[in-house]
Amino acid sequence: MWPLVAVIGFMLCLDPSFQQFPRPCATREALRTKECCPPWEGDGSACGAISGRGFCQDVEVPDLPDGPQYPFSGLDDREKWPLVFYNRTCRCAGNFMGFNCQDCKFGYFGANCNERRESLRRNVFHLSRAERIRLMSYLNLAKQTVSRDYVVATGTYQEMENGSNPMFADVSTYDVFVWMHYYVSREALLGGPGNVWTDVDFAHWAPAFLPWHRVYLLHWEHEIRKLTGDMSFTIPYWDWRDAQGCDVCTDDLMGERSPQDPSLLSPGSVFSSWRVLCSRADDYSGRGVLCDAQHEGPLTRNPGNHNRDVVERLPTSAEVEFTLSLADYDTGAMDRSANMSFRNTLEGFGDPQTGLGSSSRMGMHAALHVYMNGSMSSVQGSANDPIFLLHHAFVDSIYEEWLRRHRPSAAQYPESNAPIGHNREYHMVPFLPLIRNREYFISSKDLGYEYSYLLGASKLCFGGAFIFFVDMNYCFVLRIKKTPKELLVSFSRPEAGRIPTSLPGGAAGCVALVAACRALWGDYNTGRSRCLPNCKTPIPRVALAAGGEVEKRIRSPGKTATYQEQRRRGNQAPELPNDNMNTQPDL
């Protein structure tokens, strides 16, 4: 872990990155000329044009019809984003990205953005103690460090007198993202106190919900890397399936409940000193103004003491599986009424047992927000709570699993008639440089990251030590000895003993072993294992079943807790035996 002083010192020499509003584009000149094409420091040219990194280009917005939910035109700054503020922005070439093409596209690294690397997002309970401390330190550093590259808007373009009177505020790196989530989901100001339109949201209640939050998390992850210099940092996820309570609400993670006030966090949590912003949606609407980005009080949370008429409990594994089974990404009006819609059901407005929209109770993603009963429960202010990041990382993983399972064509994402801001070619609010919704209707692997529990199976080799990975922590080590007629399988843990210890020789034995694993643990990608009976490897440590968490009760003598329950309690993984993993296989 970086010492805090070193991190702060390193921060002073960081290069600018992306998102809005970039400081170079928040000036009177930039607003009046409507051009956001800052120079790249490497060659001093706009968008790094001299070096071929990008160029300044006129903004093109689609002219296809939106849905009927928002019946206005020309009243909200977010319409046809970003034309109210800018009509020329950088368009980056190749693997370059950023408001001035300074950065690399997600998944690429290096000075020339030609180094392809994949990052791994892991279960938060599988972080080591040092990794947990580092996560808390990075979050707190982002909260306490004023963003060098961005400012946030505190007034509408009209209030800025069409750019003559810029209205922006400095906030921390973390709070830039709080503001972004507020701004994209705020009600439309139609002019004057209380005159707002509530049925509008450029990132929720419609098809862009999942792509928008995918981009949001990627940008946030990238900013933490820039701030700390830790290019290996990834956002962990909280797998909340079947959880009986907020098991991340501990002082070594997201903060326990305060013994003095159940709606506040424990003094032992670093987050107890945090102050929220943009959390008073009703007040802003009543006054007909934007959030002024001032601190508004402590972070609040009272998990489980919510309205049970709205949310009965946290989502179950069965509800996640039903949601994943829905083949259509979105349907009908593509809003909260959509029936049998994967997006609407995962977002929480479709019933996770029937798929019917406009559910009287909220489920899946929305259920977590309501359950937290505090800052997380306001759409506009929810990103104030760091649980937001862990929660949305897991939501994104479910989105990823659906993409891999159903392999939708690009045409599944609607081209027109979705609620405003959600059509395929619409630019996401409020990102700069411009990002279209369709660009993130793709697999995470194309964006350079993976989830530990979705890892695919590796090669199956005969001989030597094999490890069954179960969400990267629960491992079953076995040895396989090949004879001319059979495979002799021995296990180090009794849980796996239900797999036969004697299997046919040759490829048939490999197939039988994979089938036995699937029967014991479910599919979990074992079906994609390849049987290579002549495989040799100098280090025979390979993943047969990588990923997948044991949902069934797999018991050993004297133990009654499922692995799912052990994981929720944060138990350490079973220790591996002292096998010499570097020996040659017995062939």
Side-chain angles (χ1 to χ4, degrees), residues 512-526:
L513 181 58
V514 170
C517 292
R518 185 184 298 117
L520 179 62
W521 289 314
D523 195 356
Y524 299 124
N525 295 323
T526 55

Side-chain angles (χ1 to χ4, degrees), residues 293-560:
Q294 297 299 306
H295 287 158
E296 297 170 338
L299 182 64
T300 62
R301 190 193 302 150
N302 193 358
N305 293 318
H306 59 287
N307 185 345
R308 295 187 180 273
D309 291 333
V310 177
V311 168
E312 181 181 2
R313 48 164 169 69
L314 293 174
T316 66
S317 298
E319 289 170 340
V320 172
E321 182 56 38
F322 173 82
T323 302
L324 284 166
S325 74
L326 297 172
D328 292 327
Y329 181 72
D330 225 333
T331 63
M334 296 172 282
D335 57 13
R336 286 171 285 186
S337 70
N339 294 320
M340 307 304 289
S341 155
F342 166 72
R343 186 277 314 163
N344 196 39
T345 305
L346 178 55
E347 190 169 358
F349 303 105
D351 189 301
Q353 298 180 19
T354 67
L356 298 180
S358 301
S359 176
S360 60
R361 285 186 168 180
M362 294 185 185
M364 299 298 287
H365 152 265
L368 260 290
H369 284 278
V370 174
Y371 181 88
M372 288 301 154
N373 191 30
S375 300
M376 268 276 281
S377 303
S378 159
V379 175
Q380 296 177 23
S382 57
N384 278 290
D385 193 329
I387 287 180
F388 178 96
L389 299 167
L390 278 61
H391 168 44
H392 272 275
F394 190 62
V395 171
D396 184 69
S397 78
I398 298 173
Y399 173 39
E400 180 61 25
E401 188 169 0
W402 183 87
L403 288 170
R404 297 184 191 184
R405 182 180 298 191
H406 295 279
R407 301 183 180 276
S409 68
Q412 269 231 39
Y413 195 96
E415 184 178 29
S416 61
N417 297 311
I420 187 170
H422 292 261
N423 284 346
R424 185 187 306 167
E425 299 297 326
Y426 212 100
H427 296 126
M428 293 183 183
V429 177
F431 293 102
L432 287 176
L434 303 178
I435 301 168
R436 297 187 189 275
N437 290 321
R438 63 170 168 78
E439 294 172 5
Y440 286 80
F441 191 62
I442 59 175
S443 172
S444 69
K445 296 184 75 66
D446 296 325
L447 299 167
Y449 72 100
E450 173 66 281
Y451 287 95
S452 62
Y453 81 102
L454 295 181
L455 282 169
S458 182
K459 293 186 297 183
L460 171 63
C461 298
F462 288 174
F466 288 69
I467 299 179
F468 288 78
F469 287 99
V470 183
D471 196 25
M472 304 303 289
N473 251 11
Y474 294 109
C475 304
F476 305 91
V477 180
L478 60 104
R479 283 195 175 278
I480 300 177
K481 186 173 182 179
K482 178 184 175 186
T483 72
K485 295 184 178 181
E486 63 181 349
L487 300 177
L488 301 177
V489 185
S490 60
F491 298 89
S492 67
R493 296 189 59 81
E495 292 92 333
R498 286 162 53 189
I499 295 179
T501 57
S502 178
L503 296 167
C510 173
V511 173
L513 181 58
V514 170
C517 292
R518 185 184 298 117
L520 179 62
W521 289 314
D523 195 356
Y524 299 124
N525 295 323
T526 55
R528 291 205 297 270
S529 295
R530 291 186 292 155
C531 296
L532 303 174
N534 298 318
C535 175
K536 293 185 179 181
T537 173
I539 305 178
R541 182 174 184 156
V542 296
L544 168 63
E549 294 178 88
V550 179
E551 304 294 343
K552 300 177 182 178
R553 291 183 176 268
I554 302 175
R555 302 175 185 273
S556 61
K559 296 182 180 180
T560 58

Side-chain angles (χ1 to χ4, degrees), residues 58-198:
D58 291 344
V59 173
E60 296 181 0
V61 298
D63 197 27
L64 294 171
D66 299 315
Q69 295 85 354
Y70 179 77
F72 307 102
S73 178
L75 293 181
D76 192 285
D77 291 347
R78 300 167 296 180
E79 297 175 30
K80 298 185 181 298
W81 180 261
L83 288 185
V84 168
F85 292 98
Y86 311 107
N87 56 29
R88 285 175 62 80
T89 63
C90 286
R91 178 177 180 182
C92 302
N95 295 331
F96 299 111
M97 182 177 71
F99 63 73
N100 62 350
C101 303
Q102 170 77 33
D103 294 282
C104 299
K105 282 185 177 180
F106 301 121
Y108 290 89
F109 299 82
N112 296 315
C113 300
N114 56 3
E115 299 174 19
R116 176 75 173 173
R117 296 207 300 266
E118 186 173 89
S119 301
L120 183 67
R121 290 181 180 170
R122 298 163 57 205
N123 188 319
V124 69
F125 291 111
H126 297 164
L127 302 183
S128 67
R129 182 174 182 275
E131 289 169 329
R132 292 187 185 196
I133 292 172
R134 181 166 62 242
L135 173 63
M136 301 304 106
S137 298
Y138 287 179
L139 286 167
N140 201 44
L141 179 63
K143 182 69 172 182
Q144 307 303 329
T145 305
V146 173
S147 175
R148 173 184 151 182
D149 300 325
Y150 320 115
V151 290
V152 301
T154 57
T156 65
Y157 192 71
Q158 183 179 15
E159 290 172 327
M160 295 185 196
E161 299 174 8
N162 298 327
S164 298
N165 180 34
M167 298 175 65
F168 298 96
D170 289 323
V171 296
S172 71
T173 297
Y174 187 96
D175 286 340
V176 166
F177 289 87
V178 174
W179 177 88
M180 289 172 67
H181 196 265
Y182 150 77
Y183 189 80
V184 75
S185 59
R186 66 174 176 82
E187 296 171 344
L189 306 178
L190 304 181
N195 189 17
V196 298
W197 188 259
T198 61

